[in-house]
Amino acid sequence: METGNYSSVTEFFLVGLSQHPELQHFLFLLCLIMYLIILLGNSLLIIISILDSHLHTPMYFFLGNLSFLDICYTSSFIPETLVIFMSERKSISFLGCALQMFVTLGLGSSECVLLAVMAYDRYVAICNPLRYPIIMNKVRYVHMAAWSWIIGCANSLVQTVLTMVLSFCGNNVIDHLICEILALLKLICSDISTNVFIMAVASIVLLVTPLLLIFVSYVFILSSILRITSAEGRKKAFSTCSAHLTVVILFYGSALFMYTKPKSKNTTVFDEIIWLSYGVITPMLNPIIYSLRNKEVKEAVKKVLSRHLHLWKI
């Protein structure tokens, strides 16, 4: 394997959708609006979960982590993408590209683990409610959230370092909107078999395995819900899980398409749209889904708003 040649490439050019300037102008406005919604919606969920004491539970602690993760994830590439959309020189420095890839891959991996942790939380709450406060005590759920971040960032660090130390041999034109690992691997002229193997293992451990755990959890959850005799009880139990399940389907649907479909040499417009669904649309929809499908969140928003309006009138 060739060693890395840092002097051969000092910057990269992101040419995703560059052949469709009219589409780039449309996506600039669309991504800007969605980014503002992401910041507003997820920040509101975090603030509400902190201010309302009724939401100081493991479920909303994990939801707050998910919202903060989505803010950090989208902030790592959307501002840069907006600048590139409107710039003639669509470039990013070598270190900037490495940092962007580390953050996006790390937080994306962390979200995979966090969604599995949230499914386990719902499993314990519905299938073992009497022992829920004991099993999901504060120390445990804080550790579970922390390990979600640690595992995702560790995976990203390994893959980013192993990618960026390889030789690009002067190839610095990335056919993508961001410094995404699959797009970067296409530019490397040395042996990438180790990278491909590690990526395959990481996909199994951090993508497929959490999805299987979520599936098994919901099999048990559905079985428990069906055994509830009260119609109101079944409705309440299902409402606490439906939002999470919707987010899981959106997130994993696009992620599995991206990382398990046959790879082509050139990125298509359809691939870019799928990536936008995975990278932008899902973080935007997360707070909307949890707010619309969750009675406790809506009531907490009303209480916080009424409290602040009352103080403002005084």
Side-chain angles (χ1 to χ4, degrees):
M1 183 181 293
E2 298 179 22
T3 57
N5 186 354
Y6 291 94
S7 61
S8 62
V9 172
T10 58
E11 64 178 353
F12 293 97
F13 292 91
L14 300 166
V15 298
L17 298 178
S18 60
Q19 296 180 348
H20 306 275
E22 68 289 344
L23 183 58
Q24 283 193 334
H25 293 152
F26 169 74
L27 288 176
F28 172 85
L29 181 61
L30 184 63
C31 287
L32 177 61
I33 294 172
M34 290 193 295
Y35 183 52
L36 294 176
I37 294 173
I38 289 168
L39 294 179
L40 179 63
N42 285 288
S43 297
L44 182 62
L45 268 181
I46 294 172
I47 293 170
I48 292 299
S49 64
I50 292 174
L51 294 179
D52 195 302
S53 58
H54 294 95
L55 302 184
H56 293 175
T57 63
M59 174 182 172
Y60 293 103
F61 177 78
F62 292 136
L63 181 55
N65 270 263
L66 181 64
S67 295
F68 182 67
L69 188 152
D70 283 339
I71 290 173
C72 295
Y73 175 74
T74 52
S75 297
S76 69
F77 66 87
I78 291 183
E80 181 72 25
T81 301
L82 293 177
V83 172
I84 288 175
F85 275 155
M86 304 306 293
S87 302
E88 292 186 6
R89 183 177 174 82
K90 304 177 185 300
S91 63
I92 184 172
S93 68
F94 184 93
L95 290 178
C97 184
L99 180 61
Q100 188 181 76
M101 185 170 69
F102 167 73
V103 175
T104 54
L105 181 59
L107 296 184
S109 302
S110 297
E111 184 158 347
C112 292
V113 181
L114 186 60
L115 288 173
V117 168
M118 294 173 72
Y120 175 74
D121 172 69
R122 293 299 84 207
Y123 159 75
V124 177
I126 293 174
C127 299
N128 206 345
L130 296 180
R131 297 192 62 211
Y132 179 75
I134 300 174
I135 297 174
M136 296 301 294
N137 59 72
K138 186 173 183 179
V139 173
R140 180 164 296 172
Y141 69 71
V142 169
H143 283 176
M144 292 171 72
W147 276 109
S148 299
W149 289 81
I150 293 170
I151 291 171
C153 291
N155 166 62
S156 179
L157 180 62
V158 171
Q159 294 205 52
T160 300
V161 170
L162 289 178
T163 299
M164 303 309 285
V165 298
L166 295 177
S167 176
F168 292 92
C169 300
N171 297 325
N172 65 342
V173 178
I174 302 174
D175 189 15
H176 206 283
L177 295 173
I178 69 166
C179 290
E180 198 264 342
I181 188 168
L182 294 177
L184 273 166
L185 288 176
K186 295 177 183 178
L187 306 182
I188 294 171
C189 57
S190 53
D191 182 23
I192 61 170
S193 57
T194 301
N195 303 71
V196 172
F197 174 75
I198 292 177
M199 184 181 296
V201 173
S203 296
I204 294 172
V205 173
L206 297 176
L207 194 62
V208 178
T209 302
L211 183 58
L212 289 176
L213 293 175
I214 292 170
F215 175 77
V216 172
S217 296
Y218 274 98
V219 168
F220 286 105
I221 288 171
L222 182 60
S223 176
S224 297
I225 290 176
L226 293 176
R227 289 199 299 267
I228 298 175
T229 56
S230 168
E232 183 65 27
R234 284 198 302 270
K235 182 180 178 181
K236 182 178 179 181
F238 182 75
S239 67
T240 63
C241 301
S242 58
H244 175 257
L245 191 57
T246 304
V247 170
V248 167
I249 293 171
L250 287 171
F251 178 83
Y252 277 98
S254 52
L256 285 171
F257 180 86
M258 281 181 56
Y259 291 100
T260 60
K261 72 181 181 66
K263 304 300 184 294
S264 59
K265 186 66 177 176
N266 299 315
T267 304
T268 65
V269 175
F270 183 67
D271 291 334
E272 300 287 357
I273 299 302
I274 291 297
W275 177 81
L276 282 175
S277 171
Y278 169 78
V280 182
I281 297 176
T282 302
M284 180 191 69
L285 292 179
N286 283 352
I288 298 174
I289 291 170
Y290 278 106
S291 298
L292 293 177
R293 298 291 300 172
N294 197 303
K295 185 178 179 181
E296 290 178 315
V297 172
K298 289 187 284 187
E299 289 180 350
V301 170
K302 291 177 182 178
K303 284 195 296 183
V304 171
L305 289 178
S306 62
R307 187 188 310 156
H308 282 75
L309 286 173
H310 178 71
L311 292 174
W312 182 76
K313 289 179 181 179
I314 294 176

